[in-house]
Structure formats: structure tokens, C-alpha cells
């Protein structure tokens, strides 16, 4: 893994945040999106913990950040993928603080709604990763951090998207916040058998699912270590299977 990183492979960090109604009214202190507590909410903690590690491997510090499941002004139509910074053509946020700032502004401007559809964001990041694959070298690897408070409404479509993405340079980290029953989400984290649906089967395991409640009272570094644990193996395994060597190996002088 480090050979690829030192060779110039970039980790491209993308964030997807659940804005569905089941999170609770953001003005209510019991809401998972409430911003008024002395301790940051679980969404903020998850973005910070994971982002602080990944930012060391992403040189431009520009992170596309999306929300899903909210009604947006001025038409109040439900959107399953919208830019947290309000700019659809330029969803990048500058640094982890940029993501958090956009998230906090977004909370105050959208209406939480539903359903919990993750497949559009997974599909969008897969599109970015497919572009990277066309480079035919170990240059850009994508990591999607998806934070949600419940079971996905579009589970089958999301599984299809993950199976497609398993052939691309990307990994998916899902953090479950709140106290929902996440047993169905464990299915996506195919540690025992590769994810499949119908006659389709994933090429490799690219999902790591972690319930935030298991890490509530431990240092943020523990959560980051758990969710990122499989990424080095996933990245190195992906490029090894394609026989892509680290970039600096390609450019190294002979002799």
C-alpha cells in the first residue's frame, strides 16, 4: 500500500451524508443532526475522524461532499444527491473544515425528508473511479465515506452499484449513526462471502461497515483505524490484480 502512495497514488475522499427525516428535526437536541451540543454530533465526528487520516494522502485537499434524502429550496423537491456547498457543478469543499462548514450550512437550509437512497451517490463516485481507471495506472483511488442513520430504502440498487464498483479503484466506508438495527447493512460488508445479488457477484470486497455507537466513548483515532483498516489491502489488491506497479516504478531510471 505505502509503495503505491509513495509512488504518487492519491486517495480521493468523497463524503455522502444522510439528510432523511428519521434523523430528527435538527432544531431538536435529540436529533442526530443537532449542532448545539458541546460535543459535536455523530456526523461531524465521523467526517472529522476519517477525514483527518485521509487528508494526509490527498494532496489537493479538495473533497466532493454530497447529501441525500432532503427537500431543497426553492422548489422543495426531494434530492438523492446534492452538493453540501450548494454548488451542483463544483461540489468540492476545501479541507475537512470546508466539508464541516458546508454541512452545517446545509442543515439550516434544507428540509430533512426521505427515502434513504444511497445508490445515486455510490453510482456517481463509481463514475469518477471509472474515469480514473482509464488512466491505466495506479494514480487515483476513491474512498467514499457514507454516513447514514438507517437501513437503505434502495438496498438492491445499492448492491448492484457496489458490485459494479468492485471492478473500479474505489472503496466504500459506511458509518451507521444512531441506534437503528443495522443488521441488513452488515450484508454489504462482505467479510465472509463476496457480495452478490441474483446471478451477479462482486469481484472483491470494497465495503467496510461500522456502527458509530461501538466507538462512542473511545478516541476518534479508534474509529478511523477501524473504518480504514481494510483500505490498504483493498487498494494494493486492486492494482496488483491489474499488474499496475507504483508510478515511481514506471518512471524509475534503469540500471
Amino acid at each position: 500500500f505505502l509503495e503505491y502512495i509513495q509512488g504518487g497514488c492519491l486517495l480521493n475522499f468523497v463524503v455522502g451524508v444522510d439528510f432523511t427525516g428519521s434523523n430528527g428535526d435538527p432544531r431538536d437536541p435529540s436529533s442526530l443532526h443537532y449542532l448545539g451540543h458541546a460535543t459535536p454530533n455523530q456526523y461531524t465526528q465521523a467526517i472529522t475522524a476519517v477525514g483527518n487520516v485521509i487528508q494526509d494522502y490527498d494532496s489537493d485537499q479538495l473533497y466532493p461532499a454530497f447529501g441525500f434524502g432532503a427537500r431543497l429550496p426553492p422548489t422543495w423537491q426531494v434530492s438523492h444527491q446534492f452538493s453540501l456547498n450548494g454548488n451542483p457543478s463544483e461540489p468540492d469543499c476545501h479541507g475537512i473544515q470546508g466539508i464541516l462548514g458546508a454541512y452545517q450550512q446545509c442543515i439550516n437550509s434544507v428540509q430533512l425528508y426521505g427515502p434513504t437512497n444511497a445508490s445515486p451517490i455510490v453510482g456517481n463516485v463509481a463514475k469518477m473511479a471509472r474515469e480514473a481507471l482509464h488512466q491505466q495506472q495506479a494514480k487515483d483511488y476513491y474512498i467514499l465515506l457514507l454516513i447514514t442513520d438507517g437501513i437503505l430504502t434502495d438496498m438492491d440498487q445499492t448492491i448492484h452499484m457496489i458490485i459494479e464498483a468492485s471492478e473500479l479503484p474505489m472503496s466504500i466506508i459506511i458509518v451507521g449513526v444512531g441506534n437503528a438495527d443495522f443488521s441488513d447493512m452488515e450484508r454489504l460488508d462482505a467479510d465472509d462471502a463476496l457480495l452478490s445479488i441474483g446471478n451477479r457477484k462482486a469481484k472483491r470486497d470494497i465495503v467496510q461497515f461500522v456502527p458509530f455507537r461501538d466507538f462512542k466513548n473511545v478516541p476518534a483515532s479508534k474509529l478511523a483505524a477501524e473504518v480504514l483498516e481494510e483500505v490498504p489491502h483493498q487498494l494494493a489488491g486492486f492494482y496488483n490484480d491489474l499488474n499496475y506497479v507504483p508510478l515511481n516504478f514506471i518512471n524509475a531510471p534503469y540500471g
Side-chain angles (χ1 to χ4, degrees):
F1 167 73
L2 284 177
E3 285 181 343
Y4 285 103
I5 298 299
Q6 289 162 355
C9 181
L10 295 179
L11 298 185
N12 296 278
F13 185 43
V14 185
V15 175
V17 176
D18 181 339
F19 282 84
T20 55
S22 53
N23 283 281
D25 185 331
R27 294 165 298 188
D28 184 330
S30 66
S31 169
L32 291 165
H33 280 304
Y34 185 68
L35 297 171
H37 292 304
T39 304
N41 69 30
Q42 294 182 19
Y43 284 93
T44 301
Q45 289 184 58
I47 292 167
T48 305
V50 180
N52 280 345
V53 176
I54 293 179
Q55 67 181 354
D56 293 339
Y57 304 100
D58 189 333
S59 60
D60 66 6
Q61 303 287 295
L62 293 174
Y63 309 119
F66 302 97
F68 58 98
R71 293 165 86 174
L72 310 186
T75 59
W76 301 107
Q77 291 284 310
V78 177
S79 173
H80 301 302
Q81 180 180 282
F82 53 90
S83 305
L84 290 190
N85 65 6
N87 185 346
S89 57
E90 199 55 64
D92 291 351
C93 298
H94 197 274
I96 305 307
Q97 288 308 313
I99 300 174
L100 296 176
Y103 161 65
Q104 288 163 10
Q105 272 189 309
C106 205
I107 277 293
N108 295 317
S109 62
V110 304
Q111 181 189 358
L112 305 194
Y113 206 68
T116 311
N117 288 356
S119 60
I121 289 179
V122 175
N124 187 30
V125 179
K127 195 175 165 191
M128 299 178 198
R130 194 172 294 284
E131 291 289 318
L133 192 59
H134 291 155
Q135 299 168 2
Q136 297 190 332
Q137 52 187 3
K139 194 173 179 187
D140 285 286
Y141 194 90
Y142 284 83
I143 296 176
L144 169 61
L145 170 64
L146 206 59
I147 314 171
T148 179
D149 82 318
I151 304 305
L152 303 179
T153 316
D154 63 340
M155 183 64 87
D156 284 0
Q157 295 97 306
T158 300
I159 289 172
H160 279 291
M161 285 293 177
I162 292 170
I163 289 172
E164 210 170 288
S166 70
E167 300 185 3
L168 301 171
M170 72 179 274
S171 293
I172 302 170
I173 294 162
I174 305 175
V175 176
V177 295
N179 295 312
D181 174 7
F182 288 116
S183 49
D184 272 8
M185 300 295 269
E186 301 283 0
R187 179 183 170 198
L188 301 177
D189 189 347
D191 285 339
D192 299 324
L194 287 173
L195 188 64
S196 63
I197 188 168
N199 57 3
R200 296 188 74 197
K201 190 175 188 179
K203 189 176 177 188
R204 61 196 182 101
D205 174 24
I206 63 167
V207 177
Q208 175 79 331
F209 171 76
V210 172
F212 185 90
R213 58 179 173 248
D214 291 358
F215 296 86
K216 223 171 177 178
N217 301 309
V218 297
S221 56
K222 282 264 190 350
L223 172 68
E226 177 73 16
V227 297
L228 293 167
E229 181 187 18
E230 295 179 9
V231 169
H233 171 72
Q234 290 169 355
L235 181 149
F238 177 77
Y239 290 127
N240 284 336
D241 286 350
L242 290 174
N243 293 319
Y244 289 179
V245 296
L247 287 175
N248 61 353
F249 284 22
I250 299 170
N251 301 322
Y254 290 103

